[in-house]
């Protein structure tokens, strides 16, 4: 359908999906062909950076499996750049981990260490942020529950005061009757 209508974007997505499926089935050579075709179509078609990131990441992973570490590094760097530009932290995290893996497989351990360090730092920062967010949420919930309890206590005190006032008024009325 995509070919008959000349839909370049549809063909590119078709190649991307087919390549991803073949990758998951362990058919790396065929996956590589489809993902490279999808990646090459990006030149002809303006892609959203997320689509390009996805294609480049899958292509890089496939290249790692087929021993094309240098090409994988180029594609992972593109993913890292696009993810950084769009503030997509999960993409930056994944790109750094994949770059570390690619450099390690290419026996460039200094670069592998550098990217793993970036990955580790980002992961720790995200975990710290999540912990701080959780602590703030728990503190807010505790404060809200504490205020609710204070409100209930004040309402109970108000009701006791109302009963005492009513009792005093009845006592005064009784004394007036006795007088």
């Amino acid at each position: 359908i995509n070919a008959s209508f000349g839909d370049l974007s549809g063909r590119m997505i078709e190649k991307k999906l087919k390549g991803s499926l073949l990758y998951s089935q362990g058919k790396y050579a065929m996956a590589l062909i489809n993902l490279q075709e999808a990646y090459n179509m990006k030149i002809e078609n303006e892609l959203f950076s997320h689509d390009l990131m996805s294609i480049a990441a899958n292509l890089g992973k496939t290249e790692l499996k087929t021993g094309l570490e240098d090409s994988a590094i180029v594609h992972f760097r593109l993913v890292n750049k696009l993810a950084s530009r769009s503030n997509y932290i999960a993409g930056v995290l994944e790109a750094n981990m994949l770059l570390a893996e690619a450099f390690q497989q290419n026996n460039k351990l200094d670069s592998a260490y550098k990217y793993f360090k970036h990955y580790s730092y980002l992961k720790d920062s995200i975990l710290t942020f999540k912990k701080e967010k959780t602590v703030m949420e728990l503190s807010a919930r505790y404060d809200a529950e504490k205020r609710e309890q204070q409100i209930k206590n004040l309402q109970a005190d108000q009701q006791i005061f109302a009963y005492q006032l009513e009792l005093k008024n009845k006592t005064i009325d009784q004394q007036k009757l006795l007088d």
Side-chain angles (χ1 to χ4, degrees):
I1 293 173
N2 290 323
S4 64
F5 286 119
D7 182 15
L8 186 62
S9 179
R11 285 189 320 173
M12 181 205 53
I13 291 171
E14 176 189 355
K15 293 289 184 183
K16 174 185 133 183
L17 292 174
K18 190 173 184 179
S20 298
L21 179 64
L22 289 167
Y23 176 85
S24 68
Q25 294 172 344
K27 299 175 182 174
Y28 303 121
M30 291 299 296
L32 187 62
I33 292 168
N34 282 280
L35 290 167
Q36 282 175 333
E37 287 178 14
Y39 185 79
N40 290 337
M41 286 180 193
K42 75 147 177 82
I43 296 168
E44 303 169 34
N45 189 15
E46 270 305 307
L47 288 180
F48 293 111
S49 61
H50 184 74
D51 288 334
L52 182 55
M53 270 191 293
S54 175
I55 292 169
N58 288 332
L59 179 57
K61 289 176 191 176
T62 306
E63 289 167 335
L64 268 185
K65 292 287 187 182
T66 56
L68 301 170
E69 295 88 6
D70 291 331
S71 293
I73 289 169
V74 169
H75 293 116
F76 293 148
R77 281 187 171 152
L78 175 62
V79 172
N80 198 0
K81 177 183 165 187
L82 292 171
S84 295
R85 193 181 313 154
S86 61
N87 289 327
Y88 180 52
I89 301 300
V92 174
L93 193 65
E94 181 185 21
N96 280 312
M97 186 61 194
L98 291 169
L99 278 163
E101 186 180 331
F103 277 115
Q104 181 183 9
Q105 197 167 319
N106 206 9
N107 289 325
K108 295 180 180 175
L109 300 181
D110 289 343
S111 296
Y113 175 72
K114 172 189 164 189
Y115 285 104
F116 184 76
K117 198 165 102 175
H118 288 303
Y119 165 80
S120 184
Y121 174 76
L122 277 173
K123 187 177 99 180
D124 290 345
S125 296
I126 290 169
L127 290 176
T128 300
F129 176 75
K130 284 183 179 180
K131 286 179 188 176
E132 288 174 358
K133 183 180 173 188
T134 303
V135 167
M136 288 183 350
E137 287 172 353
L138 288 174
S139 294
R141 192 176 312 143
Y142 172 76
D143 289 342
E145 289 174 4
K146 187 176 175 182
R147 285 189 192 108
E148 285 179 25
Q149 189 62 41
Q150 286 175 339
I151 290 170
K152 287 179 183 177
N153 289 342
L154 288 172
Q155 288 172 340
D157 289 347
Q158 184 181 13
Q159 194 170 13
I160 290 171
F161 180 73
Y163 288 143
Q164 287 175 342
L165 184 61
E166 186 179 330
L167 182 63
K168 283 184 182 181
N169 285 338
K170 284 185 180 183
T171 305
I172 291 173
D173 287 343
Q174 286 176 354
Q175 282 182 350
K176 283 182 183 177
L177 283 175
L178 287 174
D179 287 342

